[in-house]
Amino acid sequence: MKLKKYILLYLLFVSVIAFSQVNTGKQFTIKGTVKTKENRNPISGVEVSATSGAIVYTDAFGAYRIKAEVGDYLLFKSLEFETVEYRIKDDEDVDVLVEGLDEDVQLSKSALHKMYLDSAKQFKKIDIGKSIDYIRVSLEQLGKRGNNKERAASYALLGEIYQYHKQYDLAVDNYKESLTYSTTGESQLLLANAYLLNKEYKKAEVLFLKIDGSAKLSTYKKIVLYEGLGDAYKGLKNTSKAVANYTKGLDLAKKELVKPKITDLNTKIAEAYGDANQTEEAVGYFENSLKSAKTEAPQRALEVNDRAADFYSKNSLYNEEMKLRQQSLEDIELLESSSKKKAVKRNAVTKEVEAPITRQRINYKIANNLIVQDKLDEAIPYLEESISEAASEDDLVVQKDATRKLSEVYDDKGDYSKALETYKKYAAVADTLYARKEQEISRAERLSKQIAEKQNRITGLEKDKELYESKSSLARTKQDLYTTTSIKQKILIYALVLGMFLFGIAAFFFYRSNRQQKLANNLLALKSLRSQMNPHFIFNALNSVNNYISKSDERSANRFLSEFSTLMRAVLENSEEDFIPLTKELELLELYVKLEHSRFPDKFNYTITTDPNIDVAAFQIPPMLLQPYIENAIWHGLRYKDELGFLNINLKQKNKETIEITIEDNGIGRKKSAELKTQNQKKQRSKGMGNIKKRVSILNSMYKDKVDVNIQDLNSDGSGTKVLLTLKKD
């Protein structure tokens, strides 16, 4: 009812807004498409103008959005068709279908496919959603048959899009799909590198070796192959094979004078040796990499300097690290003086987008170098400079780390007032960074959901194609059979008859299985219904009636039996429901406890207390969920006491969305009660409580942790029991 109410209010709100727009002469946005009437192909580049002055053009999907007013005329102009006019009556969408297009003017499906791929490439880095949409439309242009190479190109580009945006698992899936249509050495390399990025090193190794043994590759692709194979072995912790393949690639790069790869491979060999703790070899190759990088663009030297400095820091070569850090500061100064970017955001060595190499990061790393050498006074200016630059560049990560480190330095120096003051600044920056990270995570979740929806649509296209091909294959098979001899025609008829017969049998068994399943569900429901009330309670309740009758207390017997039948009827009515109003459940519990008290008046007294601030009617609870815990309290705790016990049932508000229901008894306790039971009673109790746990677990999985139950001893000596049930609103 609430949902219907909100929908009606929303529709009323939208109607009021629309009415006000229509009658005040304000502009609103008209959107629509322009397509061919015959085959619904979109027409791009159509001029759409409104008499109020706005002019737009249709995109690759034939879509447009334009500002207009009621009474405006929309004019659709193109060399491909006669001008179309449309008068605006309201803010509805305006889709235009045109006819009479010259076939020579219409783009072929292959040309449209290429155009959409070009558009996808254009949006690859700036809008992943649009880029994926263009891929989908490119596949739609190919139809169900389509050219396999063109289809492979679409999936390969989709893999590149996902790879750029770090969706490596989806990149792998789409590269694989591309290879099902067209297998080339280049497409196999794309998949192998995607395996590397997805950390599937063994699969990458197998595919690289396969390419090396079969594909004809250019020299540059050979270098890429050996580099990738080295990355795979490095991921598999096989340093010797990693270095061997990096060296093969390096030799080819030197032979062909491919300078970027000479730098990359020297660096990777150095890092491989570094991972294997072969420091001397690593230092030699880092020196080669640094020399090679100096012959390239300044950014390259900056990248390699940073990688080498990190290695020197890791291996306690602090003087060498300090020289490289200082050189990096000079390189950044040179880049800034040349009016270039202040940060290099792409690491050409690793081919991944990493943290930018900035002045504040380098100052922070220099400070860490000095701190490790216990040069705290020298480190402080670098930390302060790093904090200042990070603040001006809005680099919260470095600002946070540098501020925390500065606080630690002051603490180590014994300047506790400055340490505390700096730590407060650190806490403030950390809070800001945390809030920003939460926003980024939220945006990432929305993007992942959007990507999944778009990928599912593309997957649906592929399934439609497979179904179409399956149907086409079946049609061709039938046609072949019809053109053969009469004997084969009879065989076909017999096969069809047999197929229909088998289909009928399958339908019969499915129908029977469905009926059996429904029967099993009904039996399960009945079993659940029977388990909701303890058979001992029903049996003992009827004995109580018999006891009243034997005492000629007909009035008490009638009263007890009437109340008992009311309880049983309510249980039966609610047995099919997952949840019932809490008010109804409380009524049943009051009746149940009253019946039990009438049977054991000398064993316990009870109270049921409800916080007057609770809106009980607003909560829902699984039917008869509380009864087994109350029954346990009476039958296994209070019944065995020599003196009069108590049973307290209390409902209180935890917060606006949650209430707590407490069931307390001062009985003999769970441990002592278990000792008094027979083996058969223990087994029955275990099953009963196990069914309750399963029921709560299933309901929580369906209704998002609506119910939580906690059972504990009331007193430290093990006597008494407390059941705390937490119930949330819908």
Side-chain angles (χ1 to χ4, degrees):
M1 291 299 293
K2 289 183 178 179
L3 180 61
K4 291 182 178 178
K5 181 179 179 182
Y6 292 147
I7 291 174
L8 289 173
L9 288 173
Y10 173 74
L11 292 175
L12 180 60
F13 174 76
V14 171
S15 299
V16 171
I17 295 298
F19 181 79
S20 63
Q21 288 179 334
V22 169
N23 288 277
T24 57
K26 292 183 179 179
Q27 285 191 333
F28 45 82
T29 300
I30 298 293
K31 58 183 179 179
T33 57
V34 181
K35 297 181 178 180
T36 61
K37 187 174 184 180
E38 182 179 355
N39 48 24
R40 298 300 195 272
N41 282 334
I43 307 174
S44 61
V46 176
E47 179 187 302
V48 184
S49 60
T51 51
S52 56
I55 299 177
V56 297
Y57 295 88
T58 58
D59 61 16
F61 298 96
Y64 69 90
R65 298 171 68 91
I66 189 170
K67 294 286 187 179
E69 302 174 1
V70 171
D72 272 355
Y73 278 92
L74 289 186
L75 304 178
F76 300 86
K77 300 178 182 179
S78 173
L79 295 175
E80 302 179 14
F81 56 84
E82 293 184 3
T83 299
V84 176
E85 295 183 0
Y86 183 85
R87 189 174 185 275
I88 301 298
K89 302 182 180 69
D90 49 37
D91 61 347
E92 64 180 357
D93 295 349
V94 179
D95 294 322
V96 176
L97 298 177
V98 299
E99 56 185 344
L101 288 179
D102 188 346
E103 292 295 330
D104 294 334
V105 177
Q106 296 187 68
L107 291 174
S108 68
K109 289 187 179 295
S110 294
L112 283 171
H113 173 265
K114 184 179 183 304
M115 180 182 71
Y116 290 129
L117 286 192
D118 290 341
S119 298
K121 291 176 184 177
Q122 180 183 352
F123 286 98
K124 171 183 172 181
K125 298 181 180 180
I126 58 177
D127 192 332
I128 185 175
K130 281 189 177 181
S131 191
I132 296 173
D133 279 336
Y134 279 117
I135 295 292
R136 175 179 57 79
V137 178
S138 76
L139 290 169
E140 289 176 347
Q141 289 302 314
L142 296 177
K144 295 183 173 65
R145 294 185 179 273
N147 182 290
N148 281 344
K149 288 186 178 180
E150 292 175 340
R151 197 175 295 275
S154 289
Y155 282 108
L157 180 55
L158 184 57
E160 292 179 28
I161 293 167
Y162 284 132
Q163 182 173 319
Y164 179 82
H165 292 278
K166 296 187 177 182
Q167 305 291 322
Y168 300 131
D169 54 338
L170 292 175
V172 167
D173 291 341
N174 284 281
Y175 285 142
K176 285 181 179 178
E177 191 67 34
S178 174
L179 287 171
T180 62
Y181 295 106
S182 179
T183 302
T184 63
E186 185 174 354
S187 58
Q188 288 177 315
L189 279 176
L190 287 172
L191 176 57
N193 280 306
Y195 278 139
L196 288 177
L197 294 171
N198 206 36
K199 298 183 180 179
E200 299 179 73
Y201 301 117
K202 191 62 182 178
K203 290 182 179 180
E205 175 203 4
V206 171
L207 186 52
F208 276 125
L209 290 173
K210 179 181 177 182
I211 299 169
D212 191 27
S214 60
K216 294 181 180 180
L217 301 174
S218 65
T219 303
Y220 182 81
K221 292 290 174 58
K222 277 279 188 181
I223 297 172
V224 172
L225 184 145
Y226 289 130
E227 181 183 8
L229 198 50
D231 290 341
Y233 285 124
K234 184 181 177 185
L236 294 170
K237 310 300 182 185
N238 191 331
T239 302
S240 60
K241 286 189 175 182
V243 170
N245 282 279
Y246 286 146
T247 304
K248 285 182 181 180
L250 180 59
D251 291 341
L252 279 176
K254 288 179 178 178
K255 183 179 178 181
E256 299 296 326
L257 298 178
V258 185
K259 288 186 178 181
K261 285 301 177 186
I262 294 174
T263 304
D264 289 350
L265 289 164
N266 272 305
T267 303
K268 289 193 173 185
I269 293 173
E271 289 177 338
Y273 278 129
D275 291 343
N277 295 320
Q278 295 177 251
T279 307
E280 185 176 346
E281 292 84 349
V283 169
Y285 277 98
F286 267 124
E287 289 176 353
N288 294 339
S289 179
L290 289 167
K291 290 178 183 177
S292 176
K294 287 179 181 179
T295 64
E296 299 183 57
Q299 291 93 331
R300 292 285 283 163
L302 188 62
E303 294 167 12
V304 178
N305 273 8
D306 191 65
R307 304 292 292 185
D310 287 344
F311 167 78
Y312 290 144
S313 175
K314 181 180 178 182
N315 289 275
S316 303
L317 302 173
Y318 301 120
N319 291 333
E320 289 81 355
E321 178 197 358
M322 182 63 76
K323 291 177 183 178
L324 291 179
R325 300 293 187 203
Q326 295 291 354
Q327 182 63 47
S328 293
L329 285 177
E330 293 176 7
D331 290 343
I332 288 183
E333 188 73 31
L334 179 63
L335 287 172
E336 290 177 355
S337 65
S338 301
S339 301
K340 295 184 177 180
K341 292 183 178 179
K342 294 182 181 179
V344 180
K345 295 188 177 180
R346 178 186 175 274
N347 188 320
V349 175
T350 61
K351 298 182 182 178
E352 295 181 24
V353 178
E354 298 181 346
I357 304 171
T358 57
R359 188 193 303 276
Q360 59 265 26
R361 288 186 181 274
I362 296 174
N363 280 320
Y364 175 67
K365 290 181 178 181
I366 291 175
N368 280 326
N369 176 297
L370 295 170
I371 291 169
V372 172
Q373 299 180 71
D374 203 27
K375 299 177 181 179
L376 303 182
D377 291 327
E378 295 180 38
I380 289 175
Y382 284 102
L383 288 173
E384 291 175 342
E385 182 70 16
S386 177
I387 293 169
S388 175
E389 291 171 343
S392 64
E393 295 292 334
D394 196 28
D395 188 347
L396 292 179
V397 175
V398 173
Q399 187 180 359
K400 172 183 72 69
D401 294 340
T403 307
R404 177 181 56 80
K405 186 66 69 174
L406 182 59
S407 175
E408 293 173 356
V409 169
Y410 282 134
D411 184 69
D412 291 340
K413 286 172 58 65
D415 192 344
Y416 301 117
S417 60
K418 283 189 177 181
L420 178 60
E421 180 184 354
T422 309
Y423 185 81
K424 290 179 179 179
K425 293 178 181 179
Y426 157 74
V429 176
D431 289 342
T432 304
L433 179 60
Y434 179 76
R436 185 174 296 180
K437 288 293 183 184
E438 281 190 327
Q439 294 174 355
E440 291 176 358
I441 291 172
S442 178
R443 286 195 297 269
E445 288 176 349
R446 290 196 298 270
L447 179 61
S448 295
K449 183 178 180 181
Q450 179 188 14
I451 290 173
E453 291 174 352
K454 293 180 181 297
Q455 179 63 31
N456 287 338
R457 293 183 66 182
I458 292 175
T459 304
L461 288 176
E462 188 57 30
K463 289 182 178 179
D464 289 343
K465 176 182 175 294
E466 291 175 359
L467 180 60
Y468 174 81
E469 290 177 347
S470 177
K471 290 181 178 180
S472 299
S473 177
L474 179 61
R476 288 194 298 271
T477 301
K478 288 182 178 181
Q479 184 63 36
D480 292 341
L481 289 173
Y482 281 126
T483 58
T484 58
T485 63
S486 60
I487 296 176
K488 291 185 178 180
Q489 289 178 354
K490 290 180 181 180
I491 293 174
L492 176 61
I493 293 173
Y494 293 151
L496 290 173
V497 172
L498 178 62
M500 293 176 64
F501 177 71
L502 293 175
F503 178 78
I505 293 176
F508 169 74
F509 280 114
F510 177 78
Y511 173 74
R512 190 172 71 173
S513 174
N514 191 41
R515 289 193 61 187
Q516 290 174 344
Q517 183 64 45
K518 288 183 179 179
L519 178 61
N521 290 339
N522 290 335
L523 291 174
L524 183 62
L526 290 174
K527 182 179 179 181
S528 175
L529 174 61
R530 289 195 298 270
S531 67
Q532 290 183 37
M533 288 294 292
N534 193 325
H536 290 294
F537 165 67
I538 301 173
F539 177 76
N540 290 330
L542 294 176
N543 277 345
S544 297
V545 177
N546 186 49
N547 184 47
Y548 288 131
I549 295 174
S550 65
K551 293 180 180 179
S552 299
D553 191 352
E554 181 179 352
R555 182 176 181 182
S556 297
N558 286 336
R559 176 183 53 78
F560 187 92
L561 188 58
S562 175
E563 292 175 345
F564 174 73
S565 63
T566 300
L567 176 61
M568 289 303 298
R569 184 180 299 109
V571 170
L572 291 171
E573 289 175 353
N574 298 327
S575 63
E576 295 297 327
E577 301 293 334
D578 286 340
F579 290 90
I580 63 173
L582 182 57
T583 52
K584 186 180 292 187
E585 177 75 357
L586 290 177
E587 293 173 1
L588 297 180
L589 289 180
E590 290 179 2
L591 182 56
Y592 170 71
V593 177
K594 180 180 178 182
L595 289 172
E596 292 286 34
H597 184 260
S598 68
R599 291 161 61 192
F600 306 113
D602 56 342
K603 288 295 182 180
F604 72 96
N605 284 330
Y606 69 92
T607 59
I608 301 177
T609 308
T610 302
D611 186 346
N613 295 323
I614 298 177
D615 183 8
V616 180
F619 288 86
Q620 300 276 322
I621 190 171
M624 296 303 287
L625 181 66
L626 300 173
Q627 183 270 338
Y629 297 109
I630 297 174
E631 183 178 357
N632 275 352
I634 297 172
W635 278 79
H636 303 302
L638 298 170
R639 190 161 62 99
Y640 293 108
K641 284 181 65 70
D642 295 330
E643 66 275 8
L644 187 66
F646 71 83
L647 172 65
N648 286 338
I649 303 172
N650 182 44
L651 284 79
K652 68 177 183 178
Q653 190 92 31
K654 184 177 181 182
N655 53 52
K656 292 182 179 180
E657 301 297 323
T658 310
I659 63 171
E660 291 182 342
I661 303 174
T662 307
I663 302 170
E664 292 183 349
D665 71 84
N666 65 342
I668 63 175
R670 293 179 292 171
K671 183 177 180 181
K672 191 171 182 180
S673 175
E675 294 172 354
L676 297 176
K677 294 188 178 299
T678 66
Q679 289 299 321
N680 185 51
Q681 288 174 326
K682 291 178 181 179
K683 184 177 180 182
Q684 290 176 346
R685 179 182 180 275
S686 176
K687 287 183 179 179
M689 296 309 292
N691 287 339
I692 293 173
K693 290 181 179 179
K694 290 179 181 178
R695 185 180 176 203
V696 170
S697 176
I698 293 171
L699 288 169
N700 280 338
S701 67
M702 295 170 60
Y703 298 99
K704 297 182 179 179
D705 298 330
K706 184 179 177 69
V707 180
D708 179 58
V709 181
N710 180 38
I711 305 175
Q712 61 187 30
D713 294 333
L714 186 62
N715 302 311
S716 58
D717 62 356
S719 64
T721 304
K722 178 180 178 180
V723 178
L724 179 62
L725 185 141
T726 305
L727 181 66
K728 297 180 181 179
K729 274 186 181 180
D730 292 335

